[in-house]
């Protein structure tokens, strides 16, 4: 898949995920490729590829002869995903503090510093992309390909829920501050502090998502939501 095509597919998958998370596409809804293509002004091919991506996150189910439907993710299932995510990412942060090379540490610090300007400009798309890249640096910094692959795979599954947090007011600045605690620990080689800071960060990501869902459910005329973590 070309980079342009991949980018279009990822953007479409993100838009469909947002519609699922905000309740526009309700649990059990059938996701017709023609309908989605018309809705998002594209052809069926990127829609089909986007649905395949979303199936790996658990947001939708691909059923033989029935096509794609919006899945029902329970509170307990989502909580288990975030707990597993927190433990894996915390381990990556701890090992990164021990194993990152000097050049990896410089690149980590440079990316984190650049994200401050994104926060100042309230540039959510740029920050979201940089956030993914920052966490990927922690995975690579373990110098353990097995752990890095496992963590990246789980992140893809939890990705839509993690992205949703940035719709919460003030969450960008809080996220950047939390990252700062992790980054400083990793750059300082403090493995214990890096582990604790990352575990705390992921728990706050879950909290932010919970609060966003609760707010959406309380809004007058809002559609019923599909899941609440915790």
């Amino acid at each position: 898949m070309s980079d342009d095509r991949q980018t279009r597919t990822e953007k479409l998958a993100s838009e469909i995920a947002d519609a699922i998370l905000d309740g526009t596409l309700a649990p059990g809804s059938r996701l017709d490729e023609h309908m989605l293509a018309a809705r998002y002004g594209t052809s069926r091919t990127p829609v089909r590829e986007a649905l395949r991506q979303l199936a790996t996150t658990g947001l939708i189910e691909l059923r033989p002869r029935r096509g794609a439907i919006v899945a029902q993710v329970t509170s307990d299932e989502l909580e288990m995903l975030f707990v597993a995510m927190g433990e894996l990412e915390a381990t990556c942060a701890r090992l990164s503090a021990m194993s990152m090379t000097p050049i990896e540490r410089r690149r980590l610090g440079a990316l984190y510093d650049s994200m401050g300007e994104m926060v100042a400009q309230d540039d959510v798309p740029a920050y979201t992309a940089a956030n993914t890249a920052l966490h990927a640096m922690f995975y690579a910094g373990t110098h353990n390909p097995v752990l890095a692959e496992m963590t990246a795979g789980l992140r893809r599954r939890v990705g839509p829920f993690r992205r949703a947090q940035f719709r919460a007011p003030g969450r960008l600045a809080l996220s950047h501050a939390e990252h700062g605690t992790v980054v400083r620990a990793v750059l300082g080689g403090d493995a214990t502090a890096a582990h604790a800071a990352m575990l705390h960060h992921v728990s706050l990501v879950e909290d932010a998502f919970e609060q966003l869902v609760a707010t959406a459910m309380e809004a007058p005329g809002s559609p019923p939501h599909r899941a609440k973590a915790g």
Side-chain angles (χ1 to χ4, degrees):
M1 188 187 301
S2 70
D3 289 345
D4 287 347
R5 182 174 167 187
Q6 183 174 14
T7 300
R8 288 197 301 271
T9 299
E10 290 174 348
K11 183 174 183 295
L12 181 59
S14 180
E15 290 174 343
I16 295 172
D18 286 345
I20 293 172
L21 290 172
D22 69 17
T24 302
L25 296 172
S29 300
R30 183 171 178 271
L31 299 174
D32 179 75
E33 291 180 8
H34 291 286
M35 177 271 289
L36 291 173
R39 176 174 182 159
Y40 293 104
T42 186
S43 65
R44 290 179 61 193
T45 299
V47 169
R48 190 176 302 117
E49 292 169 348
L51 292 178
R52 286 176 184 151
Q53 271 192 25
L54 290 174
T56 67
T57 71
L59 275 178
I60 70 169
E61 296 176 13
L62 296 177
R63 297 183 176 180
R65 296 180 298 279
R66 290 188 59 190
I69 64 169
V70 178
Q72 175 68 60
V73 180
T74 67
S75 301
D76 289 343
E77 289 170 343
L78 198 53
E79 183 176 6
M80 285 189 287
L81 286 172
F82 270 105
V83 168
M85 186 83 262
E87 294 294 340
L88 285 175
E89 294 231 8
T91 298
C92 287
R94 178 174 64 82
L95 294 179
S96 288
M98 299 166 60
S99 305
M100 267 191 172
T101 65
I103 192 169
E104 286 175 326
R105 293 175 197 271
R106 286 196 296 272
R107 288 171 177 167
L108 176 67
L111 176 58
Y112 171 74
D113 289 343
S114 73
M115 292 170 73
E117 184 62 28
M118 300 171 196
V119 174
Q121 296 178 357
D122 198 28
D123 190 341
V124 174
Y127 186 89
T128 301
N131 177 58
T132 300
L134 186 79
H135 282 268
M137 284 187 173
F138 292 126
Y139 309 161
T142 66
H143 294 268
N144 184 320
V146 175
L147 178 60
E149 183 179 355
M150 288 175 58
T151 310
L154 184 55
R155 183 182 180 86
R156 284 191 292 272
R157 185 172 180 186
V158 183
F161 304 100
R162 295 184 71 150
R163 284 196 306 273
Q165 65 169 310
F166 296 129
R167 297 205 299 267
R171 181 58 198 154
L172 231 58
L174 291 173
S175 173
H176 190 57
E178 293 157 20
H179 284 156
T181 305
V182 182
V183 169
R184 285 188 292 274
V186 169
L187 296 184
D190 190 335
T192 300
H195 184 280
M198 182 63 84
L199 199 59
H200 183 59
H201 168 57
V202 177
S203 73
L204 292 178
V205 170
E206 182 184 6
D207 288 346
F209 178 73
E210 287 181 358
Q211 292 165 11
L212 186 69
V213 171
T215 300
M217 292 178 71
E218 291 168 3
S222 63
H225 206 279
R226 56 187 302 282
K228 182 180 182 298

